[in-house]
């Protein structure tokens, strides 16, 4: 019934499509800068290739260019400048609803006597990241990819799960497992700030959630890294999302209205004042199901309706002398009541809650920052950023008691907690180009965090309560980094750097070497090697878990824990088979040490944190655990050309760890293999440049290893008890899922309408998520991941 009503609603919206005379041209414009010094380049030639009449422009004194009357559809742009490497930008999508704004960076040629042509570009080529120091295990992504891939739902994390070495942790959430590492090892950056979990319903101890707060309509080209990342990034073991927000249009107002299962969205961008180069962009979203509930429309979720809203914005304020102020922010609220007391006991186990509990989680996240950037000389670029982030997570849980007829007869408080954090950040970034061969990138991060954490469990049958965490405190994390880049020639380059960090909680320093080299052979083949040492602090929750002593007093036994450390080594081979077809192979080895484990002999290790929704209350931990991740990855990608693309990624890997008992085991994330196959085709429909697009995705992943449940002990205690000595020993069936997305894009006069339906898990395959003990039925029940689910989408830009 829910699926039928959903489709009826969105089909009604699609029926609003009206005929109109279509616009046939649009404007492409932007700015061209030197890649390192960020100085504007004057006189750069920009041309549209293949147009029926010559179209082109040259940059002015500020590096700006403008090309009017560009035909709608996909275009190829060529950029040339004496003494710099030429670029070709394929598949630039030009629509009637929005101007195309490309801000580009050019690389100075090492040998200026030889003309160098770079086919594809720093915006479209997936080998080219914003950060040119990332030469292994890194790729860029943009807003088109978050919208294009079936099943991605406009979410950067779900999109990244299609890349080699990455596994989605859970269909209902966007946590990702990178090369067998815990999702908690991810670093999120926004405009250079280290930020907390940017997802709705994202807990303090996780890096993901069911819905991203990052609105893809605001995203600019961003970077995703999976190993041996440059010295600029620290306090992370698994991977990095370096997210950039785009500037708003500074010449004309543009709007977007969007409706999808994730929410109703409204956005606007434009100049702050007439004849001003300053601009703004803002997007607001409110949960679709929450709005329907307010209107009295029922979609079958009952009381378990997710309510959330978020706002993304950015202000860009240019100043004299090629400087710029930027103010940006992301904020969100989310809440849901998971009422097991109202659950259908005849249905299968619910992935989102327990029939034996009523839980009431509430979340609030605010991220804001202001930055100033300027060329302090012709060779140097400086950027300073100040930021503030706030998070709140509150929850209460009640145990539900039923009689023999399964009627609810009582509720007892089971747990309650409140986690509040406030982080104040300062960031500095300085890059100097000494000449075409040598540059130096240096900077710092200062993150001061104060927090209040409270978590209690109640045992009504015993009349007692246990306080897991109760603390008000603060910490300071300081990070410094520097990288020297040397280009021996246009084909051979080297990056040498170091990262250092100091943490006041454990009063520990760590200095981390980082290095990479890249050699390009005849323009089509390249070899890269990367190495890095990486360290990460323990979560503040883990650090402040209380231990109850024999005299019933409490002690903090985890505050002394060392950084968890990892050494990453990566070898990369890239083969550009043609201008549109690329093969990439990588092999890697990671060795983790100083992982928190229990003092007593056990299988516990924090290396498995992030495998469940709740934090671990383990106390008396010591930094003596270890682990290894190693594997090989393959990517075969045909970039969008002549109306179609495909992406095939495969990974074979192994992820092992040792607890304090010294036994080597599978980690919670050791699925051992993953294969993704994605493809899409675009057909032109009619004479007005309208398009029908079909995208498909097929994913298969090795089965999870789960810890078996001790049913007898669980029956005696009334809750799930695991056989910890057999941790992660039972392998489940492989995961299989196929998604198909069908969309239609129609061009009107100065506007564009997009309609789509994303059919997720079209085979309705039952993929195992977890297992638990149900005290009502005295059975072990299996929770399955998302079944077949259609997600409609409507987007209108004007």
């Amino acid at each position: 019934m829910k699926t039928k009503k959903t489709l009826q609603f969105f089909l009604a919206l699609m029926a609003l499509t009206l005929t109109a005379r279509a616009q046939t041209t649009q404007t492409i414009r932007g700015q061209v800068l030197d890649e390192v010094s960020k100085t504007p380049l004057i006189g750069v030639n920009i041309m549209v290739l293949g147009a029926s009449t010559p179209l082109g422009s040259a940059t002015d004194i500020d590096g700006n260019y403008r090309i009017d009357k560009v035909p709608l559809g996909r275009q190829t742009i060529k950029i040339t400048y004496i003494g710099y490497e030429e670029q070709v930008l394929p598949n630039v999508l030009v629509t009637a609803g929005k101007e195309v704004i490309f801000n580009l960076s050019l690389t100075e040629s090492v040998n200026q006597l030889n003309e160098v042509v770079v086919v594809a570009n720093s915006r479209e080529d997936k080998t080219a990241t914003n950060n040119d120091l990332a030469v292994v295990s890194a790729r860029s992504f943009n807003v088109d990819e978050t919208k294009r891939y079936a099943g991605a739902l406009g979410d950067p994390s779900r999109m990244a799960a299609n890349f080699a070495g990455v596994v989605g942790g859970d269909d209902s959430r966007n946590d990702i497992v990178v090369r067998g590492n815990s999702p908690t090892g991810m670093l999120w950056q926004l405009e250079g700030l280290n930020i907390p979990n940017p997802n709705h319903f994202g807990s303090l101890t996780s890096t993901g959630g069911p819905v991203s707060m990052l609105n893809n309509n605001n995203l600019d080209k961003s970077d995703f890294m999976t190993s041996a990342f440059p010295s600029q990034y620290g306090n992370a073991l698994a991977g990095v999302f370096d997210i950039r927000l785009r500037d708003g249009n500074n010449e004309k107002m543009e709007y977007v209205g969007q409706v999808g299962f994730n929410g109703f969205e409204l956005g606007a961008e434009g100049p702050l004042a007439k004849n001003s180069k300053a601009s703004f962009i803002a997007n607001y979203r409110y949960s679709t199901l929450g709005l329907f509930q307010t209107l009295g429309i029922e979609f079958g979720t009952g009381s378990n309706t997710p309510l959330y809203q978020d706002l993304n914005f950015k202000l860009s304020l240019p100043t004299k002398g090629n400087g710029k102020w930027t103010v940006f922010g992301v904020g969100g609220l989310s809440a849901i009541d998971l009422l097991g007391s109202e659950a259908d006991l005849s249905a299968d186990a619910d992935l989102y809650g327990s029939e034996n509990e009523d839980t009431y989680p509430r979340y609030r996240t605010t991220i804001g920052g202001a930055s100033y950037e300027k060329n302090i000389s012709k060779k140097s670029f400086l950027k300073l950023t100040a930021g503030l982030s706030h998070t709140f997570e509150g929850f209460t849980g009640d145990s539900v008691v039923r009689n023999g007829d399964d009627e609810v007869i009582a509720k007892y408080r089971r747990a309650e907690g409140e986690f509040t954090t406030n982080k104040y950040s300062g960031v500095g970034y300085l890059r100097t180009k000494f000449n075409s061969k040598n540059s130096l990138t240096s900077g710092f991060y200062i993150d001061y965090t104060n927090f209040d954490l409270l978590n209690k469990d109640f045992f009504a049958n015993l009349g007692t309560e246990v306080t897991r965490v109760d603390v008000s405190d603060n910490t300071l994390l300081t990070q410094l980094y520097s990288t020297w880049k040397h280009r021996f020639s246009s084909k051979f380059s080297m990056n040498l750097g170091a990262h250092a960090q100091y943490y006041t909680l454990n009063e520990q320093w760590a200095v981390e070497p980082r290095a990479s080299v890249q050699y390009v052979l005849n323009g089509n083949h390249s070899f890269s090697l990367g190495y890095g040492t990486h360290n990460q602090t323990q979560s503040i929750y883990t650090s402040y878990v209380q231990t109850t002593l024999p005299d019933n007093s409490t002690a903090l036994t985890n505050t002394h824990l060392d950084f968890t450390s990892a050494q990453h080594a990566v070898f990369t081979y890239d083969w550009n088979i043609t201008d549109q077809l690329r093969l990439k192979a990588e092999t890697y080895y990671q060795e983790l040490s100083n992982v928190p484990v229990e003092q007593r002999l056990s299988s516990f290790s924090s290396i498995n944190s992030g495998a469940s929704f709740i934090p671990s209350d383990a106390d008396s931990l010591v930094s003596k655990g270890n682990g290894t991740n190693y594997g090989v990855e393959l990517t075969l990608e045909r970039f969008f050309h002549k109306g179609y693309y495909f992406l095939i990624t495969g990974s074979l890997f192994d992820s092992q760890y040792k607890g304090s008992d010294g036994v080597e085991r599978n980690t919670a994330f050791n699925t051992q293999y993953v294969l993704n196959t994605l493809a899409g085709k675009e057909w032109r429909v009619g004479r007005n440049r309208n398009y029908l697009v079909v995208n498909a995705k097929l994913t298969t992943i090795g089965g999870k290893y789960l810890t078996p449940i001790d049913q007898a002990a669980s029956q005696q205690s009334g809750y799930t008890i695991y056989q910890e000595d057999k941790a992660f020993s039972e392998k489940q069936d492989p995961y299989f899922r196929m998604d198909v997305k069908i969309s239609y894009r129609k061009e009107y006069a100065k506007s564009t309408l997009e309609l789509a339906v994303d059919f997720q898990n079209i085979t309705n395959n039952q993929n195992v998520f977890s297992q638990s003990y149900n005290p009502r039925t005295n059975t072990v029940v299996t929770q399955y991941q998302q079944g077949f689910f259609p997600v409609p989408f409507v987007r209108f830009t004007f």
Side-chain angles (χ1 to χ4, degrees):
M1 180 63 69
K2 177 173 66 173
T3 299
K4 182 178 179 181
K5 288 183 177 180
T6 303
L7 286 174
Q8 287 176 342
F9 174 80
F10 284 99
L11 287 173
L13 285 179
M14 293 179 183
L16 296 176
T17 305
L18 303 173
T19 59
R21 181 176 62 86
Q23 178 177 312
T24 59
T25 65
Q26 185 55 278
T27 297
I28 297 178
R29 62 185 182 87
Q31 187 181 37
V32 183
L33 305 175
D34 179 275
E35 181 181 52
V36 178
S37 67
K38 305 302 180 184
T39 54
L41 298 180
I42 306 170
V44 178
N45 293 310
I46 301 99
M47 294 171 288
V48 179
L49 302 182
S52 56
T53 59
L55 292 173
S57 176
T59 56
D60 61 19
I61 193 172
D62 296 317
N64 296 317
Y65 69 93
R66 181 187 187 94
I67 308 173
D68 293 317
K69 298 183 178 179
V70 179
L72 303 186
R74 295 188 180 272
Q75 304 294 340
T76 298
I77 311 299
K78 182 178 180 180
I79 304 100
T80 59
Y81 190 51
I82 297 175
Y84 281 74
E85 296 178 358
E86 181 178 297
Q87 290 189 9
V88 177
L89 288 65
N91 304 311
V92 176
L93 180 59
V94 182
T95 65
K98 289 185 69 64
E99 288 187 342
V100 179
I101 301 176
F102 273 152
N103 296 317
L104 307 169
S105 296
L106 293 184
T107 302
E108 186 175 359
S109 298
V110 174
N111 184 354
Q112 297 184 9
L113 296 178
N114 297 324
E115 183 179 7
V116 179
V117 178
V118 181
V119 177
N121 72 307
S122 62
R123 172 173 289 269
E124 292 292 329
D125 179 13
K126 311 308 182 297
T127 68
T129 54
N130 287 325
N131 191 328
D132 63 294
L133 303 177
V135 299
V136 298
S137 304
R139 67 176 287 159
S140 65
F141 64 91
N142 55 37
V143 63
D144 290 336
E145 288 176 295
T146 63
K147 293 189 298 182
R148 177 188 302 160
Y149 294 156
L153 298 177
D155 185 332
S157 293
R158 287 185 167 92
M159 176 216 60
N162 299 304
F163 300 157
V166 185
V167 180
D170 170 9
D171 285 352
S172 69
R173 295 170 56 88
N174 60 14
D175 308 76
I176 57 174
V177 174
V178 177
R179 293 180 170 174
N181 288 287
S182 164
T184 60
M186 289 296 302
L187 168 67
W188 283 93
Q189 282 196 352
L190 181 67
E191 292 288 302
L193 283 179
N194 297 324
I195 63 170
N197 187 343
N199 294 282
H200 288 294
F201 306 99
S203 65
L204 174 69
T205 56
S206 71
T207 57
V211 181
S212 175
M213 290 192 302
L214 298 172
N215 192 305
N216 69 342
N217 291 312
N218 280 54
L219 295 185
D220 203 351
K221 177 189 169 186
S222 301
D223 291 344
F224 176 66
M225 305 167 211
T226 58
S227 194
F229 19 92
S231 66
Q232 182 176 342
Y233 308 102
N235 199 38
L237 301 179
V240 177
F241 271 110
D242 187 349
I243 302 295
R244 309 287 180 88
L245 301 177
R246 66 183 180 89
D247 292 346
N249 192 321
N250 61 3
E251 293 187 3
K252 59 180 290 190
M253 291 296 301
E254 294 179 334
Y255 305 92
V256 60
Q258 184 169 303
V259 184
F261 206 78
N262 281 344
F264 283 82
E265 301 182 25
L266 292 174
E269 61 180 288
L272 286 176
K274 189 176 181 180
N275 299 322
S276 169
K277 293 184 178 181
S279 68
F280 79 94
I281 180 172
N283 280 270
Y284 172 78
R285 173 174 57 183
Y286 192 88
S287 61
T288 304
L289 295 182
L291 182 58
F292 288 160
Q293 184 183 63
T294 302
L295 297 175
I297 303 174
E298 175 59 49
F299 273 82
T301 58
S303 58
N304 297 352
T305 300
L307 305 174
Y308 54 86
Q309 55 185 311
D310 54 59
L311 174 68
N312 290 218
F313 72 90
K314 182 179 181 181
L315 306 177
S316 299
L317 309 166
T319 63
K320 293 181 180 180
N322 200 38
K324 185 172 76 168
W325 283 96
T326 300
V327 180
F328 58 91
V330 174
L333 301 170
S334 48
I336 189 171
D337 295 341
L338 299 171
L339 304 183
S341 58
E342 299 181 8
D344 181 0
L345 301 183
S346 64
D348 293 333
D350 186 2
L351 175 63
Y352 305 103
S354 167
E355 66 179 50
N356 301 303
E357 288 188 8
D358 287 352
T359 56
Y360 308 88
R362 301 291 185 267
Y363 300 87
R364 180 176 66 245
T365 301
T366 304
I367 302 166
S371 66
Y372 179 71
E373 59 186 70
K374 183 178 175 58
N375 298 103
I376 56 177
S377 73
K378 292 183 178 181
K379 296 290 187 178
S380 296
F381 172 79
L382 175 68
K383 182 177 180 180
L384 299 173
T385 306
L388 167 67
S389 61
H390 163 83
T391 67
F392 170 81
E393 177 185 353
F395 62 89
T396 57
D398 297 331
S399 294
V400 175
V401 181
R402 291 182 170 88
N403 60 20
D405 296 324
D406 289 334
E407 297 174 339
V408 177
I409 57 175
K411 296 181 184 180
Y412 297 97
R413 180 54 46 88
R414 178 70 180 87
E416 65 181 23
E418 284 192 0
F419 307 148
T420 302
T421 71
N422 294 288
K423 182 164 70 173
Y424 307 88
S425 302
V427 181
Y429 173 91
L430 174 66
R431 191 161 196 190
T432 300
K433 182 173 72 172
F434 301 104
N435 50 50
S436 62
K437 290 188 175 183
N438 295 281
S439 65
L440 185 68
T441 303
S442 304
F444 66 85
Y445 300 93
I446 300 174
D447 293 313
Y448 172 81
T449 306
N450 62 51
F451 47 87
D452 295 282
L453 310 179
L454 175 65
N455 189 14
K456 288 185 177 183
D457 289 336
F458 299 88
F459 301 90
N461 56 333
L462 302 176
T464 62
E465 64 181 61
V466 176
T467 299
R468 306 296 186 183
V469 173
D470 185 6
V471 63
S472 295
D473 206 344
N474 61 78
T475 61
L476 177 67
L477 177 64
T478 303
Q479 302 177 69
L480 308 170
Y481 67 89
S482 187
T483 298
W484 169 49
K485 179 174 183 176
H486 178 69
R487 303 171 67 200
F488 297 94
S489 68
S490 61
K491 296 182 178 182
F492 185 32
S493 63
M494 173 186 68
N495 300 311
L496 294 178
H499 178 277
Q501 63 185 44
Y502 176 76
Y503 191 43
T504 57
L505 179 59
N506 59 7
E507 298 182 338
Q508 183 179 2
W509 273 99
V511 179
E512 309 163 348
R514 311 283 178 89
S516 63
V517 294
Q518 183 177 56
Y519 181 73
V520 179
L521 182 66
N522 68 33
N524 295 325
H525 303 267
S526 69
F527 303 89
S528 304
L529 183 65
Y531 169 80
T533 299
H534 307 268
N535 288 273
Q536 185 174 19
T537 63
Q538 310 307 325
S539 77
I540 55 175
Y541 185 95
T542 297
S543 297
Y544 285 92
V545 168
Q546 295 184 172
T547 301
T548 302
L549 302 177
D551 61 359
N552 290 325
S553 64
T554 60
L556 300 178
T557 58
N558 293 345
T559 55
H560 66 286
L561 291 172
D562 295 335
F563 298 138
T564 297
S565 298
Q567 296 189 64
H568 292 184
V570 183
F571 174 74
T572 303
Y573 167 66
D574 261 303
W575 178 19
N576 290 318
I577 303 172
T578 69
D579 290 349
Q580 288 78 39
L581 186 63
R582 172 200 178 201
L583 176 69
K584 179 180 180 180
E586 284 197 316
T587 183
Y588 64 90
Y589 180 82
Q590 301 176 355
E591 184 173 299
L592 289 84
S593 59
N594 298 333
V595 181
V597 295
E598 292 181 320
Q599 289 184 8
R600 67 180 181 90
L601 299 183
S602 77
S603 63
F604 173 85
S605 173
S606 68
I607 208 169
N608 299 305
S609 62
S612 65
F613 301 149
I614 58 177
S616 168
D617 295 319
D619 57 36
S620 304
L621 301 180
V622 291
S623 299
K624 294 183 178 180
N626 57 64
T628 56
N629 302 310
Y630 58 89
V632 60
E633 301 165 357
L634 193 68
T635 298
L636 180 64
E637 182 168 14
R638 185 189 194 275
F639 303 119
F640 200 100
H641 182 65
K642 293 185 177 180
Y644 75 97
Y645 76 94
F646 64 77
L647 172 65
I648 302 171
T649 64
S651 305
L652 295 174
F653 67 96
D654 193 48
S655 180
Q656 302 282 331
Y657 82 99
K658 289 183 181 180
S660 57
D661 60 5
V663 177
E664 187 171 62
R665 295 181 170 87
N666 299 294
T667 68
F669 315 107
N670 191 23
T671 56
Q672 297 181 322
Y673 72 86
V674 57
L675 175 66
N676 294 299
T677 302
L678 299 91
K681 173 65 176 174
E682 183 176 271
W683 292 272
R684 181 174 171 178
V685 180
R687 295 177 297 176
N688 293 326
R689 296 186 182 273
N690 304 319
Y691 294 89
L692 176 67
V693 185
V694 177
N695 294 282
K697 170 188 172 183
L698 187 149
T699 297
T700 181
I701 305 172
K704 287 185 174 183
Y705 282 98
L706 299 181
T707 300
I709 293 173
D710 187 331
Q711 189 166 350
S714 299
Q715 181 179 7
Q716 184 176 5
S717 63
Y719 56 89
T720 306
I721 300 293
Y722 294 97
Q723 299 180 46
E724 298 295 349
D725 60 327
K726 299 179 181 179
F728 308 110
S729 61
E730 290 191 350
K731 191 171 181 62
Q732 306 303 302
D733 291 335
Y735 173 103
F736 177 85
R737 173 170 155 174
M738 184 174 181
D739 302 333
V740 175
K741 181 179 180 181
I742 301 174
S743 58
Y744 177 75
R745 186 174 75 247
K746 183 175 180 61
E747 304 291 351
Y748 292 106
K750 300 183 180 181
S751 61
T752 301
L753 176 68
E754 299 173 69
L755 312 173
V757 181
D758 200 335
F759 298 97
Q760 300 190 352
N761 195 4
I762 61 173
T763 65
N764 199 33
N765 193 61
Q766 285 194 313
N767 296 305
V768 173
F769 174 67
S770 65
Q771 292 180 334
S772 61
Y773 171 74
N774 187 330
R776 181 181 64 84
T777 61
N778 189 29
T779 59
V780 175
V781 295
T782 299
Q783 289 84 27
Y784 293 97
Q785 307 222 43
Q786 175 183 297
F788 170 69
F789 194 65
V791 182
F793 169 86
V794 178
R795 186 171 187 260
F796 187 58
T797 56
F798 56 100

